[in-house]
Amino acid sequence: MTIEERYQKLEETIREYNPSANFDLIRAAFTYAAIAHEGQLRKDGSPYVSHPLAVAQIVAEELHLDSESIAAALLHDTIEDTGATHEEVSRRFSPTIADLVEGVSKLNRVQYTSKAEEQMENLRKMLLAMSKDIRVILVKVADRLHNMRTMQFQTPDKQKKKSFETMEIYAPIAHRLGMQRIKWELEDLSLKYLDPIGYEEITSVLDAKAKEYQGFMKEVHQQITRRLNEGGIHGYVYGRLKHPYSIYRKMFAQNKAINEIFDLIAFRVIVYSLPDCYNVLGVVHDLYKPVLGRFKDYIGTPKPNMYQSLHTTVIGEGGTPFEVQIRTQEMHEIAEYGIAAHWKYKQGGKGSGDEQSYEWVRRLLENQEGTDAEEFIHSLKVDMFADEVFVFTPMGDVINLPSGATPIDFAYSIHSAVGNHMVAVKINGRIAQFDSRLENGDIVEVITSQSAHGPSRDWTKIARSSEARSKIRQWFKRERREENIVTGRASFESELKRNGVSLKDLTGDDVLPGVLKKLCYNSLDDMYAAIGYGGVTSLKLIGRLREDIQRIQQAHRQAEQAAKEEPVVPKPTVHPKSWSEHGVVVEGLSNCLVKFAKCCTPVPGDPIEGFITRGYGVSVHRADCPNAAPSRRSPDEHGRWIRVSWSDQIKETYRTTIHVIAKDRVNLVMDISAVLASTKTRLMMMNARSTADNFALIQLEVEVGGGDQLQGLIRKLEQISGVMTVKRPAG
């Protein structure tokens, strides 16, 4: 069939369901695509324009979409693979069509640090466009369907890669949109390349079973049809063998061989009124023995993708089990074609269609804000693709959650305030743990209190849905910024040390701006806060800085090598004043080792005394240290005490110890951490214990730049509620 013949077939398909379509627009889109893709070939050697034509055929034949959708399908690769631009498509056709094409296109012109990040950004972009116009995803799914139908021309590596992506992302999206027929075909085609042996085994058995079951299916069809006619119920019945992937999944879930799977047959009964659905259910249960626990009412409790049907499994003659699905004609169309079944545009309507029904797309994107690639894709699979559990509020409202959800997920699905103030939960009237797994039909009641301390960080590990985790992180981001900065800095610095790099190496004036730009933060505090509240991990950030870290490590190695090779040149003697690398001037000595006494830990601004030790250089004490008091100096050590002072040029930071005595209470340590963060003080060690008389004794080892910072820290610590004394130990 020539390209023109294929186009004529497309027009004929469109006329069958939409005679008033804008054929001038569709012809113009086809002509533009043919010119833009001229000279390009597909892997099978056919002109490239045959692919957009096939996608448009799927959009028309399978989904019955409007003229703009078909035009977008014809143009969907022009922005991505040709010299066409969004502006040109918008000018020639319309801004709406240009937006649809842009939404379907991948972000090929952007460089990413990993394949996962590229996949995440493409998905995020597509979902964002989908939240504005649902037709974006309908065209994209049609595009993927045709690619899978022609996958035999790709390399084995590309076949597996694209099939895995289809199984992980596009088939579940089709399911979420209720497009069951397309979902089944995508799954079967993906399985064909992911497990060709398993696929061949199932299809060969199905071919054999089809002949074996023909008589059985014909008999069941006649029995149900006869009883419907006798009861005056108008409708029709048809049976089918289940598709290969559903059987494959059941084999793995139940750890059975295909010859051990018996319910390979499913029947559908389509009627024309809602009451008749339940009448048919009575007829089926009267004709055949129902299997206990295998009845589901998706009419009373529809799925989030609008799917409605009654499902029951029964035992036929000879002990053969089979499933019966009962639904109205309208429910059937929605089940088969999803959103496309009642898309407003296909009736020639104007406006934005049914995007309100897909507000979950916007919520899903909001929940993923700020997450890294791995977390985004994991959460996407849970929120969008996982099996669901349906639970009830005490008022009888139905709440759908991902399978494995906990009361934490339930509380945050009601409202963030409910989750933040939750103190207890009841499941079916009984107090339950926060990590309990909810089951279908559970009645969940959340008990809240205005005096609740808020969520725990552990809740992010318990929650199943990204909506709950996102709201918990937002609470910590808003309420605990200072604490998050302290926690985040410690985590980031620890991860740097594991890589043999210090924080100073990455925070120098010449390096820091590039680091922050690469990590997409305005300041170090913003980055520390993000780590602290769980928005990103230190490991992920270090991964993005891999090249910088390797460059610093190389510089360190070169410096060490140069130091080893450099010849030792005697330095000229310098008399009286010189200072050490610790910023201390030692009178009368040069190039001497200086260390700070641990008994009093002096910092710049403290009056200091020096003591010449045996083999360890000069030990620097605070002047008020008991060990430096003149009354305690022995006569034979008199000549070893030496005058020292602080240098005018101090760029170091210094460790010192602070003792805090306070009345013990909840959140005392958290308040101390907040003060440390607000004064930009680095905490090196904290040791806290409670006494029998309800006092708290806390020892802090901190790193400060000088006396002013230290005094500011002490003043703020003294202002904390319950703190009685703050002092620096000496001696």
Side-chain angles (χ1 to χ4, degrees):
M1 188 181 292
T2 66
I3 296 298
E4 181 60 32
E5 287 172 342
R6 293 183 186 183
Y7 176 75
Q8 291 302 327
K9 180 184 176 184
L10 172 64
E11 281 201 356
E12 290 168 9
T13 303
I14 298 168
R15 280 195 175 88
E16 288 179 6
Y17 73 89
N18 187 11
S20 60
N22 187 342
F23 290 100
D24 290 340
L25 172 69
I26 295 169
R27 166 60 81 170
F30 166 67
T31 303
Y32 183 86
I35 294 172
H37 291 294
E38 189 173 5
Q40 297 178 353
L41 299 176
R42 302 204 80 214
K43 294 288 185 181
D44 62 357
S46 62
Y48 191 88
V49 74
S50 63
H51 168 62
L53 256 176
V55 174
Q57 185 69 33
I58 293 171
V59 167
E61 188 173 353
E62 303 272 351
L63 303 177
H64 290 188
L65 292 188
D66 62 302
S67 302
E68 287 184 331
S69 301
I70 295 165
L74 289 165
L75 298 167
H76 80 271
D77 275 337
T78 54
I79 293 178
E80 182 181 335
D81 294 335
T82 75
T85 64
H86 180 278
E87 292 74 19
E88 185 179 355
V89 174
S90 177
R91 186 179 66 254
R92 281 178 172 265
F93 299 98
S94 74
T96 300
I97 292 174
D99 287 344
L100 288 174
V101 175
E102 179 74 17
V104 176
S105 301
K106 295 193 289 290
L107 302 174
N108 284 349
R109 298 174 180 83
V110 182
Q111 294 298 315
Y112 298 102
T113 58
S114 68
K115 191 65 183 175
E117 186 177 352
E118 181 182 352
Q119 185 187 38
M120 175 201 72
E121 288 303 332
N122 284 327
L123 276 171
R124 200 194 298 270
K125 171 179 175 287
M126 185 175 67
L127 290 169
L128 185 61
M130 171 184 171
S131 70
K132 297 174 182 175
D133 192 329
I134 204 72
R135 293 175 297 176
V136 167
I137 200 67
L138 299 180
V139 175
K140 184 61 184 177
V141 169
D143 175 36
R144 179 51 61 104
L145 178 58
H146 184 251
N147 283 333
M148 290 305 299
R149 286 175 176 175
T150 56
M151 193 55 65
Q152 69 269 26
F153 299 106
Q154 298 289 347
T155 63
D157 182 63
K158 190 83 171 279
Q159 288 173 346
K160 286 189 177 294
K161 176 184 161 188
K162 289 295 183 184
S163 297
F164 183 77
E165 187 179 68
T166 300
M167 190 73 83
E168 288 277 288
I169 305 296
Y170 291 98
I173 284 178
H175 169 69
R176 196 69 162 85
L177 296 173
M179 300 156 63
Q180 297 305 314
R181 282 178 55 173
I182 290 178
K183 173 212 170 195
W184 290 337
E185 187 174 354
L186 288 172
E187 288 174 338
D188 290 346
L189 290 170
S190 299
L191 179 62
K192 180 178 180 180
Y193 298 105
L194 292 173
D195 187 355
I197 296 175
Y199 178 82
E200 180 60 32
E201 179 188 354
I202 291 171
T203 52
S204 61
V205 170
L206 285 180
D207 289 342
K209 292 280 186 183
K211 298 176 183 178
E212 178 184 330
Y213 280 141
Q214 274 182 355
F216 176 79
M217 293 169 69
K218 183 177 181 181
E219 185 178 351
V220 171
H221 179 276
Q222 291 174 345
Q223 289 172 346
I224 296 177
T225 302
R226 185 167 57 249
R227 288 293 298 270
L228 293 182
N229 292 335
E230 290 173 0
I233 301 172
H234 299 288
Y236 59 95
V237 183
Y238 69 94
R240 61 176 178 84
L241 286 173
K242 290 191 174 180
H243 69 108
Y245 180 69
S246 67
I247 299 169
Y248 183 87
R249 189 171 58 182
K250 181 170 284 191
M251 288 167 61
F252 268 83
Q254 300 178 5
N255 195 24
K256 292 181 178 180
I258 189 168
N259 56 5
E260 297 177 287
I261 304 291
F262 296 108
D263 53 340
L264 300 179
I265 302 174
F267 284 88
R268 291 213 179 106
V269 183
I270 313 299
V271 293
Y272 298 99
S273 70
L274 181 60
D276 278 345
C277 291
Y278 293 94
N279 292 334
V280 171
L281 180 66
V283 168
V284 171
H285 282 181
D286 184 43
L287 274 171
Y288 312 104
K289 184 178 180 181
V291 178
L292 294 177
R294 295 297 302 272
F295 167 68
K296 294 178 181 177
D297 184 353
Y298 291 119
I299 293 179
T301 308
K303 290 186 176 183
N305 61 11
M306 301 175 297
Y307 178 87
Q308 288 183 288
S309 189
L310 298 178
H311 289 198
T312 185
T313 301
V314 295
I315 305 293
E317 294 179 6
T320 303
F322 59 93
E323 186 181 52
V324 181
Q325 298 173 359
I326 307 164
R327 57 179 76 137
T328 66
Q329 182 65 38
E330 182 183 358
M331 293 174 191
H332 179 62
E333 289 180 7
I334 292 174
E336 293 289 288
Y337 305 106
I339 178 62
H342 55 86
W343 177 246
K344 202 171 181 181
Y345 286 90
K346 76 172 185 176
Q347 282 89 22
K350 303 294 181 184
S352 60
D354 282 342
E355 284 92 338
Q356 285 300 317
S357 302
Y358 294 89
E359 184 64 25
W360 54 268
V361 181
R362 284 193 186 88
R363 290 201 306 272
L364 183 139
L365 288 169
E366 290 166 2
N367 293 339
Q368 310 306 331
E369 188 177 353
T371 59
D372 56 42
E374 189 175 324
E375 171 71 9
F376 176 85
I377 292 174
H378 170 75
S379 300
L380 192 73
K381 291 172 186 174
V382 170
D383 284 356
M384 198 170 182
F385 312 147
D387 291 335
E388 290 134 349
V389 59
F390 297 89
V391 297
F392 296 90
T393 68
M395 302 299 293
D397 296 325
V398 179
I399 304 294
N400 66 288
L401 299 166
S403 179
T406 67
I408 295 172
D409 297 292
F410 176 87
Y412 280 101
S413 72
I414 301 298
H415 196 279
S416 56
V418 175
N420 292 338
H421 293 93
M422 179 171 65
V423 293
V425 66
K426 289 183 178 180
I427 300 177
N428 301 324
R430 304 182 70 174
I431 293 291
Q433 299 291 330
F434 285 173
D435 60 355
S436 303
R437 291 185 58 153
L438 300 178
E439 303 290 342
N440 277 320
D442 282 345
I443 300 174
V444 185
E445 179 183 357
V446 176
I447 301 169
T448 61
S449 170
Q450 289 303 314
S451 61
H453 294 298
S456 162
R457 290 189 187 274
D458 290 336
W459 287 12
T460 57
K461 301 173 185 175
I462 299 171
R464 175 73 172 162
S465 68
S466 67
E467 179 182 13
R469 290 198 300 272
S470 174
K471 289 180 177 178
I472 294 166
R473 286 197 298 265
Q474 289 298 322
W475 187 88
F476 278 103
K477 182 178 181 180
R478 185 177 61 253
E479 303 290 338
R480 294 284 187 267
R481 177 173 171 81
E482 301 301 335
E483 177 193 345
N484 293 334
I485 291 173
V486 174
T487 306
R489 173 170 174 155
S491 172
F492 187 69
E493 195 161 9
S494 174
E495 194 61 40
L496 282 177
K497 284 183 178 178
R498 287 182 63 251
N499 287 270
V501 177
S502 71
L503 188 60
K504 290 181 182 178
D505 291 328
L506 286 176
T507 54
D509 293 340
D510 56 334
V511 180
L512 183 59
V515 168
L516 292 175
K517 184 177 181 180
K518 188 172 287 187
L519 299 179
C520 302
Y521 290 103
N522 295 323
S523 68
L524 281 173
D525 279 356
D526 289 346
M527 182 188 75
Y528 295 148
I531 298 171
Y533 76 77
V536 69
T537 64
S538 297
L539 187 62
K540 295 293 181 186
L541 294 179
I542 296 298
R544 296 180 193 173
L545 298 174
R546 184 62 55 201
E547 292 180 3
D548 302 82
I549 290 172
Q550 288 173 349
R551 188 170 58 252
I552 292 168
Q553 290 170 339
Q554 180 67 20
H556 286 175
R557 286 192 292 269
Q558 291 174 350
E560 291 173 4
Q561 187 66 27
K564 290 178 183 178
E565 296 173 356
E566 185 177 339
V568 178
V569 179
K571 295 184 179 180
T573 304
V574 179
H575 291 288
K577 283 196 173 183
S578 69
W579 52 84
S580 76
E581 61 181 7
H582 294 297
V584 174
V585 178
V586 181
E587 188 178 84
L589 295 177
S590 65
N591 206 25
C592 64
L593 179 66
V594 172
K595 68 171 187 175
F596 296 102
K598 293 183 179 179
C599 55
C600 55
T601 57
V603 299
D606 293 333
I608 50 177
E609 298 278 353
F611 180 74
I612 302 174
T613 65
R614 298 184 189 278
Y616 295 99
V618 175
S619 177
V620 179
H621 291 257
R622 291 202 331 247
D624 62 347
C625 177
N627 293 328
S631 60
R632 295 185 61 175
R633 299 176 185 176
S634 60
D636 58 328
E637 293 179 346
H638 181 73
R640 294 167 63 185
W641 286 95
I642 189 171
R643 183 175 296 179
V644 293
S645 61
W646 296 103
S647 167
D648 294 333
Q649 298 178 350
I650 294 175
K651 298 181 180 179
E652 307 267 339
T653 55
Y654 300 83
R655 287 196 180 193
T656 190
T657 303
I658 299 173
H659 286 174
V660 179
I661 301 175
K663 291 183 179 179
D664 198 9
R665 62 175 176 82
V666 175
N667 290 335
L668 175 62
V669 172
M670 191 175 295
D671 291 341
I672 291 174
S673 298
V675 167
L676 290 169
S678 66
T679 56
K680 294 186 169 63
T681 304
R682 183 181 176 193
L683 177 66
M684 308 305 296
M685 187 272 291
M686 177 186 288
N687 186 15
R689 65 184 180 88
S690 297
T691 64
D693 51 353
N694 205 33
F695 282 91
L697 306 179
I698 301 172
Q699 178 183 336
L700 304 173
E701 188 175 321
V702 297
E703 194 173 84
V704 295
D708 292 341
Q709 183 182 358
L710 180 61
Q711 290 305 315
L713 171 63
I714 291 174
R715 284 195 298 271
K716 287 205 170 188
L717 288 172
E718 289 173 338
Q719 294 170 8
I720 294 175
S721 174
V723 171
M724 302 172 67
T725 62
V726 180
K727 62 181 181 180
R728 298 173 63 197

